[in-house]
Amino acid sequence: MEIFMEYITAREAAQKWNISERLVQKYCAAGRIEGAKKFGNSWGIPGDAPKPKDPRKAGKEQAVPGKSGRAVYYPGLMPLMSTAFEPGKCLETIREMPEGPRRSVAFAEYYYFCGRHKEALREAELLLTGEDRDIRLSACLIYAYANLSAGQIQRARYALTAMREMLGAAAEEQPEMRAAMSFISLTAAVLLHLPLPEKLPPVKEFLPMLPMGLRMFAMYVNAHYMYLQRDYQKSLGIVEATLGMQTEEYPIPSIYLHLLAVMDYMSLKQMDKARQHLLAAWELARPDDLIEAFGEHHGLLGGMLEAVIKSEYPEDFKRIIAITYRFSAGWRRIHNPDTGHDVADNLTTTEFAASMLAARGWTNGEIADHMNISVNTVKYHIANAMQKLGIGKRQELKKYMLR
């Protein structure tokens, strides 16, 4: 016996659920309405389908069963970053998502966080003009940062400008959209060490409206801002509290949080704790090859990669350093002209790491012990750095180091 399903239109579903027709279409495209089908250019929704819950409100994501039977979460903005998954199962988690723009964004995120920038650009570029603003925002953020590493600075600036324009356009819209816009804008500004946007609301206002994974990354960005203000204890407090509050494993924001803790502890000369956090980040990253963050943070990790990763994982270390050179070159071409702070751009990673520590008052002996090299080698690298920078005094290094 054949059973015929009764379908209603997106407009009828919107009236039934008291939401906008556009939001119904977004739910259909994201695979969040079971049984919804596309008929030409229109969606048909089963008449008895329940209204989907909004995963962005108060961090209460909607659990959607994956093919393996596990619960997989995919809110609209940065779906992979927002998703809890077991380390080593990143690709499996993405493939369990319904086909569509969110799955494509998740792949773009995956490629980016693996340091595969060309593939990230290929996926993100196709999504820059989509109807779903969450998708466009996510694509713009990935597109901006991937283009830094690709050396395509004008394209990176284009994406940053597009994000600022969307932030302005969302000023009077619903709180959830303003929260998403604020998250993206804060992330773009702080991680490039640029001034904060004037229209940005306080973090505490939009944080509760983000899903847990994005909330954790927003806390990382907030703690990073505290680090840039040299308030290392407050930054650490945010990091430790955020890592402690998660009930499931969110690998991507957790990696960034652990690396920030390394930066804080290195600034406080507590190397043992810095090492613990670096190894925690590495344990989360290595099963899925999520090594991008290590390259992005190299200059601020104070030689910790050389001290911990280089000898045991030499091939991975080489790949991380390659990411560092590509990312840093693009980062400086945005940061230096926009801030007037001339961060050194012609040093090797070892010269930069040694000089960074020297600029913070470390002795040659302390640097040598930390980086597992001789005092003479430290002197050699710092002397080379000073010669390249055209300075004659060690104290002048501070002007050219990351702040």
Side-chain angles (χ1 to χ4, degrees):
M1 178 179 178
E2 187 175 356
I3 299 177
F4 292 91
M5 176 72 71
E6 179 183 350
Y7 290 95
I8 59 176
T9 66
R11 178 174 296 180
E12 291 170 332
Q15 294 172 346
K16 177 180 177 181
W17 296 333
N18 195 29
I19 58 177
S20 70
E21 183 177 349
R22 184 170 178 270
L23 186 55
V24 174
Q25 293 169 341
K26 286 173 61 177
Y27 285 156
C28 291
R32 294 186 52 214
I33 301 178
E34 187 174 354
K37 291 185 177 181
K38 197 99 181 257
F39 299 100
N41 294 322
S42 304
W43 285 97
I45 294 104
D48 58 353
K51 175 184 176 181
K53 295 180 181 179
D54 188 343
R56 293 174 299 185
K57 291 184 178 179
K60 297 178 181 177
E61 300 96 331
Q62 182 183 14
V64 183
K67 295 177 183 177
S68 65
R70 294 182 294 108
V72 181
Y73 299 87
Y74 16 89
L77 188 66
M78 298 296 284
L80 183 60
M81 184 185 289
S82 302
T83 296
F85 60 87
E86 182 181 340
K89 296 188 176 181
C90 186
L91 273 175
E92 179 184 339
T93 299
I94 297 171
R95 288 168 179 151
E96 288 179 340
M97 297 181 181
E99 290 188 14
R102 279 176 177 73
R103 190 175 186 228
S104 297
V105 168
F107 270 115
E109 291 178 80
Y110 169 74
Y111 293 136
Y112 178 78
F113 291 119
C114 290
R116 295 160 61 177
H117 305 113
K118 290 183 180 179
E119 291 162 282
L121 287 171
R122 182 194 66 208
E123 293 288 343
E125 191 168 24
L126 297 173
L127 303 166
L128 294 174
T129 57
E131 293 184 2
D132 188 316
R133 194 178 299 181
D134 280 346
I135 298 299
R136 293 206 313 274
L137 277 171
S138 303
C140 275
L141 188 63
I142 298 164
Y143 192 74
Y145 274 82
N147 269 311
L148 291 182
S149 295
Q152 299 176 143
I153 306 307
Q154 288 306 114
R155 293 184 182 184
R157 285 192 179 279
Y158 158 79
L160 292 170
T161 299
M163 286 188 285
R164 284 193 290 268
E165 290 175 351
M166 281 189 276
L167 176 62
E172 303 302 324
E173 295 190 19
Q174 65 266 36
E176 292 83 4
M177 180 54 67
R178 290 200 303 273
M181 298 295 297
S182 299
F183 166 80
I184 291 288
S185 187
L186 178 68
T187 298
V190 171
L191 300 190
L192 287 170
H193 299 190
L194 299 176
L196 297 181
E198 293 181 3
K199 295 182 179 180
L200 192 69
V203 174
K204 64 181 180 181
E205 288 187 13
F206 67 80
L207 196 65
M209 299 180 189
L210 298 173
M212 180 57 73
L214 288 192
R215 192 182 303 180
M216 290 178 64
F217 199 83
M219 294 302 288
Y220 153 78
V221 174
N222 193 32
H224 196 123
Y225 182 74
M226 292 297 106
Y227 169 86
L228 295 176
Q229 305 306 306
R230 296 181 174 83
D231 194 343
Y232 307 125
Q233 292 291 358
K234 187 170 184 178
S235 178
L236 273 172
I238 295 172
V239 169
E240 300 286 9
T242 305
L243 286 169
M245 77 179 183
Q246 60 181 331
T247 56
E248 296 180 275
E249 192 68 80
Y250 290 85
I252 292 173
S254 294
I255 290 166
Y256 278 79
L257 284 160
H258 280 298
L259 291 178
L260 182 54
V262 176
M263 292 156 48
D264 287 323
Y265 279 122
M266 287 301 297
S267 299
L268 297 170
K269 286 191 175 182
Q270 297 183 35
M271 278 79 84
D272 286 344
K273 290 185 177 179
R275 181 188 181 93
Q276 291 171 13
H277 278 279
L278 184 71
L279 290 172
W282 188 242
E283 185 177 342
L284 288 170
R286 195 160 182 261
D288 294 298
D289 200 35
L290 302 174
I291 63 171
E292 171 70 25
F294 294 83
E296 290 178 11
H297 289 78
H298 176 274
L300 294 169
L301 294 175
M304 187 57 73
L305 291 178
E306 285 80 358
V308 178
I309 303 297
K310 184 176 182 178
S311 60
E312 191 166 352
Y313 304 96
E315 293 306 312
D316 290 324
F317 179 79
K318 289 178 183 177
R319 291 171 57 228
I320 290 171
I321 295 304
I323 290 171
T324 299
Y325 280 126
R326 292 195 301 269
F327 179 81
S328 297
W331 182 92
R332 290 182 180 97
R333 288 173 66 186
I334 294 282
H335 172 270
N336 287 3
D338 286 12
T339 65
H341 179 205
D342 193 19
V343 174
D345 64 357
N346 60 343
L347 306 185
T348 69
T349 53
T350 304
E351 288 168 352
F352 195 97
S355 298
M356 171 73 92
L357 295 173
R360 294 183 175 183
W362 287 44
T363 67
N364 289 340
E366 288 174 328
I367 298 171
D369 288 342
H370 171 60
M371 296 181 68
N372 295 321
I373 55 179
S374 70
V375 171
N376 285 337
T377 301
V378 172
K379 292 179 181 178
Y380 171 79
H381 286 306
I382 293 177
N384 278 350
M386 292 172 64
Q387 183 179 21
K388 289 179 180 180
L389 296 171
I391 59 177
K393 295 181 180 179
R394 191 179 177 108
Q395 293 88 337
E396 294 179 86
L397 285 169
K398 187 177 295 187
K399 293 188 298 185
Y400 300 93
M401 296 296 105
L402 292 167
R403 295 176 182 173

mmCIF file of all heavy atoms in Angstrom, residues 142-176:
data_model
loop_
_atom_site.group_PDB
_atom_site.id
_atom_site.type_symbol
_atom_site.label_atom_id
_atom_site.label_comp_id
_atom_site.label_asym_id
_atom_site.label_seq_id
_atom_site.Cartn_x
_atom_site.Cartn_y
_atom_site.Cartn_z
ATOM 1 N N ILE A 142 36.925 32.528 6.881
ATOM 2 C CA ILE A 142 37.881 31.546 6.369
ATOM 3 C C ILE A 142 38.628 32.114 5.172
ATOM 4 O O ILE A 142 39.858 31.975 5.058
ATOM 5 C CB ILE A 142 37.147 30.247 5.979
ATOM 6 C CG1 ILE A 142 36.481 29.619 7.209
ATOM 7 C CG2 ILE A 142 38.122 29.246 5.342
ATOM 8 C CD1 ILE A 142 35.433 28.580 6.881
ATOM 9 N N TYR A 143 37.897 32.783 4.288
ATOM 10 C CA TYR A 143 38.491 33.344 3.073
ATOM 11 C C TYR A 143 39.549 34.394 3.421
ATOM 12 O O TYR A 143 40.622 34.446 2.815
ATOM 13 C CB TYR A 143 37.380 33.957 2.227
ATOM 14 C CG TYR A 143 37.772 34.328 0.815
ATOM 15 C CD1 TYR A 143 37.963 33.353 -0.156
ATOM 16 C CD2 TYR A 143 37.910 35.666 0.440
ATOM 17 C CE1 TYR A 143 38.299 33.694 -1.459
ATOM 18 C CE2 TYR A 143 38.240 36.016 -0.857
ATOM 19 C CZ TYR A 143 38.430 35.024 -1.799
ATOM 20 O OH TYR A 143 38.763 35.357 -3.085
ATOM 21 N N ALA A 144 39.255 35.223 4.419
ATOM 22 C CA ALA A 144 40.208 36.267 4.816
ATOM 23 C C ALA A 144 41.500 35.661 5.328
ATOM 24 O O ALA A 144 42.599 36.029 4.887
ATOM 25 C CB ALA A 144 39.584 37.164 5.888
ATOM 26 N N TYR A 145 41.398 34.712 6.241
ATOM 27 C CA TYR A 145 42.612 34.151 6.860
ATOM 28 C C TYR A 145 43.364 33.227 5.905
ATOM 29 O O TYR A 145 44.598 33.211 5.895
ATOM 30 C CB TYR A 145 42.252 33.438 8.166
ATOM 31 C CG TYR A 145 42.215 34.400 9.319
ATOM 32 C CD1 TYR A 145 41.088 35.178 9.567
ATOM 33 C CD2 TYR A 145 43.316 34.576 10.139
ATOM 34 C CE1 TYR A 145 41.055 36.099 10.598
ATOM 35 C CE2 TYR A 145 43.297 35.489 11.180
ATOM 36 C CZ TYR A 145 42.167 36.240 11.406
ATOM 37 O OH TYR A 145 42.151 37.168 12.430
ATOM 38 N N ALA A 146 42.659 32.474 5.091
ATOM 39 C CA ALA A 146 43.343 31.601 4.133
ATOM 40 C C ALA A 146 44.086 32.424 3.086
ATOM 41 O O ALA A 146 45.177 32.038 2.635
ATOM 42 C CB ALA A 146 42.348 30.659 3.464
ATOM 43 N N ASN A 147 43.536 33.573 2.710
ATOM 44 C CA ASN A 147 44.208 34.427 1.744
ATOM 45 C C ASN A 147 45.457 35.081 2.324
ATOM 46 O O ASN A 147 46.380 35.421 1.580
ATOM 47 C CB ASN A 147 43.254 35.497 1.204
ATOM 48 C CG ASN A 147 42.531 35.044 -0.056
ATOM 49 O OD1 ASN A 147 43.153 34.559 -0.994
ATOM 50 N ND2 ASN A 147 41.219 35.165 -0.068
ATOM 51 N N LEU A 148 45.495 35.280 3.635
ATOM 52 C CA LEU A 148 46.729 35.769 4.253
ATOM 53 C C LEU A 148 47.866 34.795 3.973
ATOM 54 O O LEU A 148 48.972 35.197 3.585
ATOM 55 C CB LEU A 148 46.555 35.918 5.767
ATOM 56 C CG LEU A 148 45.632 37.022 6.284
ATOM 57 C CD1 LEU A 148 45.638 37.017 7.798
ATOM 58 C CD2 LEU A 148 46.045 38.379 5.755
ATOM 59 N N SER A 149 47.593 33.523 4.177
ATOM 60 C CA SER A 149 48.627 32.506 3.957
ATOM 61 C C SER A 149 48.913 32.289 2.481
ATOM 62 O O SER A 149 50.002 31.832 2.128
ATOM 63 C CB SER A 149 48.197 31.186 4.601
ATOM 64 O OG SER A 149 48.114 31.329 6.011
ATOM 65 N N ALA A 150 47.951 32.605 1.634
ATOM 66 C CA ALA A 150 48.167 32.462 0.191
ATOM 67 C C ALA A 150 48.858 33.687 -0.408
ATOM 68 O O ALA A 150 49.173 33.699 -1.597
ATOM 69 C CB ALA A 150 46.832 32.231 -0.512
ATOM 70 N N GLY A 151 49.084 34.710 0.411
ATOM 71 C CA GLY A 151 49.742 35.910 -0.060
ATOM 72 C C GLY A 151 48.860 36.816 -0.900
ATOM 73 O O GLY A 151 49.338 37.715 -1.573
ATOM 74 N N GLN A 152 47.540 36.595 -0.834
ATOM 75 C CA GLN A 152 46.590 37.382 -1.630
ATOM 76 C C GLN A 152 45.927 38.403 -0.705
ATOM 77 O O GLN A 152 44.782 38.238 -0.274
ATOM 78 C CB GLN A 152 45.571 36.448 -2.291
ATOM 79 C CG GLN A 152 46.247 35.456 -3.230
ATOM 80 C CD GLN A 152 45.307 34.446 -3.841
ATOM 81 O OE1 GLN A 152 45.451 34.075 -4.995
ATOM 82 N NE2 GLN A 152 44.348 33.956 -3.075
ATOM 83 N N ILE A 153 46.657 39.466 -0.417
ATOM 84 C CA ILE A 153 46.261 40.397 0.621
ATOM 85 C C ILE A 153 45.026 41.208 0.235
ATOM 86 O O ILE A 153 44.171 41.492 1.076
ATOM 87 C CB ILE A 153 47.437 41.345 0.965
ATOM 88 C CG1 ILE A 153 48.682 40.520 1.313
ATOM 89 C CG2 ILE A 153 47.065 42.254 2.125
ATOM 90 C CD1 ILE A 153 48.471 39.467 2.384
ATOM 91 N N GLN A 154 44.904 41.577 -1.027
ATOM 92 C CA GLN A 154 43.733 42.337 -1.445
ATOM 93 C C GLN A 154 42.460 41.528 -1.272
ATOM 94 O O GLN A 154 41.410 42.063 -0.890
ATOM 95 C CB GLN A 154 43.884 42.803 -2.897
ATOM 96 C CG GLN A 154 44.906 43.922 -3.083
ATOM 97 C CD GLN A 154 44.633 45.104 -2.173
ATOM 98 O OE1 GLN A 154 45.422 45.406 -1.271
ATOM 99 N NE2 GLN A 154 43.510 45.771 -2.382
ATOM 100 N N ARG A 155 42.546 40.239 -1.542
ATOM 101 C CA ARG A 155 41.370 39.385 -1.340
ATOM 102 C C ARG A 155 41.057 39.240 0.148
ATOM 103 O O ARG A 155 39.887 39.175 0.540
ATOM 104 C CB ARG A 155 41.601 38.019 -1.981
ATOM 105 C CG ARG A 155 41.694 38.084 -3.498
ATOM 106 C CD ARG A 155 41.827 36.712 -4.123
ATOM 107 N NE ARG A 155 41.955 36.809 -5.578
ATOM 108 C CZ ARG A 155 42.009 35.761 -6.387
ATOM 109 N NH1 ARG A 155 41.954 34.536 -5.895
ATOM 110 N NH2 ARG A 155 42.127 35.932 -7.694
ATOM 111 N N ALA A 156 42.098 39.172 0.971
ATOM 112 C CA ALA A 156 41.881 39.115 2.424
ATOM 113 C C ALA A 156 41.197 40.394 2.897
ATOM 114 O O ALA A 156 40.256 40.357 3.707
ATOM 115 C CB ALA A 156 43.212 38.917 3.150
ATOM 116 N N ARG A 157 41.657 41.533 2.394
ATOM 117 C CA ARG A 157 41.040 42.810 2.776
ATOM 118 C C ARG A 157 39.595 42.888 2.290
ATOM 119 O O ARG A 157 38.728 43.441 2.972
ATOM 120 C CB ARG A 157 41.853 43.974 2.212
ATOM 121 C CG ARG A 157 43.165 44.228 2.960
ATOM 122 C CD ARG A 157 43.772 45.556 2.547
ATOM 123 N NE ARG A 157 45.002 45.836 3.249
ATOM 124 C CZ ARG A 157 45.071 46.340 4.480
ATOM 125 N NH1 ARG A 157 43.950 46.598 5.142
ATOM 126 N NH2 ARG A 157 46.230 46.580 5.048
ATOM 127 N N TYR A 158 39.337 42.339 1.108
ATOM 128 C CA TYR A 158 37.967 42.319 0.592
ATOM 129 C C TYR A 158 37.044 41.586 1.566
ATOM 130 O O TYR A 158 35.948 42.061 1.876
ATOM 131 C CB TYR A 158 37.941 41.631 -0.774
ATOM 132 C CG TYR A 158 36.584 41.080 -1.162
ATOM 133 C CD1 TYR A 158 35.582 41.911 -1.649
ATOM 134 C CD2 TYR A 158 36.305 39.713 -1.020
ATOM 135 C CE1 TYR A 158 34.340 41.401 -1.986
ATOM 136 C CE2 TYR A 158 35.067 39.197 -1.354
ATOM 137 C CZ TYR A 158 34.087 40.047 -1.838
ATOM 138 O OH TYR A 158 32.848 39.536 -2.155
ATOM 139 N N ALA A 159 37.492 40.440 2.061
ATOM 140 C CA ALA A 159 36.670 39.658 2.981
ATOM 141 C C ALA A 159 36.480 40.388 4.303
ATOM 142 O O ALA A 159 35.389 40.386 4.887
ATOM 143 C CB ALA A 159 37.306 38.290 3.214
ATOM 144 N N LEU A 160 37.538 41.024 4.812
ATOM 145 C CA LEU A 160 37.428 41.775 6.062
ATOM 146 C C LEU A 160 36.449 42.941 5.905
ATOM 147 O O LEU A 160 35.645 43.222 6.802
ATOM 148 C CB LEU A 160 38.805 42.292 6.488
ATOM 149 C CG LEU A 160 39.818 41.227 6.919
ATOM 150 C CD1 LEU A 160 41.196 41.850 7.083
ATOM 151 C CD2 LEU A 160 39.386 40.557 8.217
ATOM 152 N N THR A 161 36.509 43.620 4.757
ATOM 153 C CA THR A 161 35.578 44.720 4.496
ATOM 154 C C THR A 161 34.145 44.222 4.403
ATOM 155 O O THR A 161 33.222 44.850 4.937
ATOM 156 C CB THR A 161 35.958 45.436 3.188
ATOM 157 O OG1 THR A 161 37.284 45.973 3.319
ATOM 158 C CG2 THR A 161 34.991 46.569 2.873
ATOM 159 N N ALA A 162 33.956 43.085 3.745
ATOM 160 C CA ALA A 162 32.605 42.506 3.623
ATOM 161 C C ALA A 162 32.034 42.173 5.002
ATOM 162 O O ALA A 162 30.842 42.398 5.251
ATOM 163 C CB ALA A 162 32.660 41.251 2.760
ATOM 164 N N MET A 163 32.872 41.680 5.890
ATOM 165 C CA MET A 163 32.400 41.368 7.243
ATOM 166 C C MET A 163 31.994 42.633 7.985
ATOM 167 O O MET A 163 30.976 42.670 8.679
ATOM 168 C CB MET A 163 33.472 40.601 8.011
ATOM 169 C CG MET A 163 33.628 39.160 7.563
ATOM 170 S SD MET A 163 34.722 38.196 8.627
ATOM 171 C CE MET A 163 36.331 38.826 8.126
ATOM 172 N N ARG A 164 32.780 43.701 7.845
ATOM 173 C CA ARG A 164 32.441 44.959 8.515
ATOM 174 C C ARG A 164 31.128 45.524 7.986
ATOM 175 O O ARG A 164 30.316 46.061 8.747
ATOM 176 C CB ARG A 164 33.576 45.971 8.337
ATOM 177 C CG ARG A 164 34.782 45.707 9.222
ATOM 178 C CD ARG A 164 35.725 46.903 9.235
ATOM 179 N NE ARG A 164 36.405 47.075 7.972
ATOM 180 C CZ ARG A 164 37.593 46.542 7.699
ATOM 181 N NH1 ARG A 164 38.216 45.815 8.612
ATOM 182 N NH2 ARG A 164 38.166 46.749 6.524
ATOM 183 N N GLU A 165 30.933 45.416 6.682
ATOM 184 C CA GLU A 165 29.682 45.910 6.094
ATOM 185 C C GLU A 165 28.482 45.115 6.594
ATOM 186 O O GLU A 165 27.424 45.685 6.868
ATOM 187 C CB GLU A 165 29.777 45.850 4.574
ATOM 188 C CG GLU A 165 30.751 46.869 3.988
ATOM 189 C CD GLU A 165 30.927 46.721 2.488
ATOM 190 O OE1 GLU A 165 30.428 45.706 1.931
ATOM 191 O OE2 GLU A 165 31.558 47.605 1.875
ATOM 192 N N MET A 166 28.649 43.802 6.714
ATOM 193 C CA MET A 166 27.542 42.985 7.228
ATOM 194 C C MET A 166 27.270 43.294 8.690
ATOM 195 O O MET A 166 26.131 43.258 9.141
ATOM 196 C CB MET A 166 27.855 41.497 7.029
ATOM 197 C CG MET A 166 27.619 41.018 5.606
ATOM 198 S SD MET A 166 27.729 39.217 5.431
ATOM 199 C CE MET A 166 29.503 39.004 5.257
ATOM 200 N N LEU A 167 28.318 43.613 9.453
ATOM 201 C CA LEU A 167 28.137 43.988 10.852
ATOM 202 C C LEU A 167 27.287 45.241 10.952
ATOM 203 O O LEU A 167 26.352 45.314 11.751
ATOM 204 C CB LEU A 167 29.496 44.218 11.516
ATOM 205 C CG LEU A 167 29.449 44.704 12.974
ATOM 206 C CD1 LEU A 167 28.768 43.681 13.862
ATOM 207 C CD2 LEU A 167 30.839 45.024 13.484
ATOM 208 N N GLY A 168 27.580 46.241 10.101
ATOM 209 C CA GLY A 168 26.795 47.466 10.111
ATOM 210 C C GLY A 168 25.352 47.223 9.705
ATOM 211 O O GLY A 168 24.425 47.764 10.304
ATOM 212 N N ALA A 169 25.144 46.357 8.721
ATOM 213 C CA ALA A 169 23.793 46.070 8.231
ATOM 214 C C ALA A 169 22.964 45.315 9.250
ATOM 215 O O ALA A 169 21.735 45.385 9.245
ATOM 216 C CB ALA A 169 23.870 45.263 6.935
ATOM 217 N N ALA A 170 23.622 44.597 10.173
ATOM 218 C CA ALA A 170 22.900 43.774 11.150
ATOM 219 C C ALA A 170 22.610 44.513 12.442
ATOM 220 O O ALA A 170 22.054 43.945 13.373
ATOM 221 C CB ALA A 170 23.713 42.519 11.473
ATOM 222 N N ALA A 171 22.961 45.812 12.489
ATOM 223 C CA ALA A 171 22.858 46.557 13.744
ATOM 224 C C ALA A 171 21.453 46.533 14.340
ATOM 225 O O ALA A 171 21.285 46.511 15.558
ATOM 226 C CB ALA A 171 23.317 47.996 13.530
ATOM 227 N N GLU A 172 20.437 46.554 13.478
ATOM 228 C CA GLU A 172 19.063 46.612 13.982
ATOM 229 C C GLU A 172 18.336 45.285 13.861
ATOM 230 O O GLU A 172 17.122 45.228 14.057
ATOM 231 C CB GLU A 172 18.285 47.693 13.207
ATOM 232 C CG GLU A 172 18.903 49.076 13.274
ATOM 233 C CD GLU A 172 19.043 49.573 14.712
ATOM 234 O OE1 GLU A 172 18.148 49.269 15.519
ATOM 235 O OE2 GLU A 172 20.030 50.258 15.012
ATOM 236 N N GLU A 173 19.044 44.213 13.539
ATOM 237 C CA GLU A 173 18.388 42.925 13.343
ATOM 238 C C GLU A 173 18.264 42.144 14.646
ATOM 239 O O GLU A 173 18.607 42.631 15.713
ATOM 240 C CB GLU A 173 19.142 42.119 12.276
ATOM 241 C CG GLU A 173 19.066 42.775 10.901
ATOM 242 C CD GLU A 173 19.592 41.866 9.809
ATOM 243 O OE1 GLU A 173 19.681 40.647 10.037
ATOM 244 O OE2 GLU A 173 19.905 42.378 8.728
ATOM 245 N N GLN A 174 17.799 40.902 14.548
ATOM 246 C CA GLN A 174 17.523 40.097 15.721
ATOM 247 C C GLN A 174 18.801 39.843 16.526
ATOM 248 O O GLN A 174 19.896 39.828 15.984
ATOM 249 C CB GLN A 174 16.858 38.764 15.333
ATOM 250 C CG GLN A 174 17.730 37.836 14.502
ATOM 251 C CD GLN A 174 17.499 37.999 13.031
ATOM 252 O OE1 GLN A 174 17.259 39.104 12.576
ATOM 253 N NE2 GLN A 174 17.595 36.908 12.287
ATOM 254 N N PRO A 175 18.670 39.656 17.837
ATOM 255 C CA PRO A 175 19.852 39.507 18.708
ATOM 256 C C PRO A 175 20.785 38.383 18.281
ATOM 257 O O PRO A 175 22.005 38.528 18.382
ATOM 258 C CB PRO A 175 19.229 39.205 20.084
ATOM 259 C CG PRO A 175 17.868 39.814 20.026
ATOM 260 C CD PRO A 175 17.421 39.643 18.605
ATOM 261 N N GLU A 176 20.239 37.263 17.799
ATOM 262 C CA GLU A 176 21.093 36.141 17.409
ATOM 263 C C GLU A 176 22.008 36.520 16.254
ATOM 264 O O GLU A 176 23.179 36.148 16.226
ATOM 265 C CB GLU A 176 20.240 34.917 17.022
ATOM 266 C CG GLU A 176 19.500 34.291 18.193
ATOM 267 C CD GLU A 176 18.202 35.013 18.500
ATOM 268 O OE1 GLU A 176 17.839 35.947 17.751
ATOM 269 O OE2 GLU A 176 17.559 34.658 19.505
#
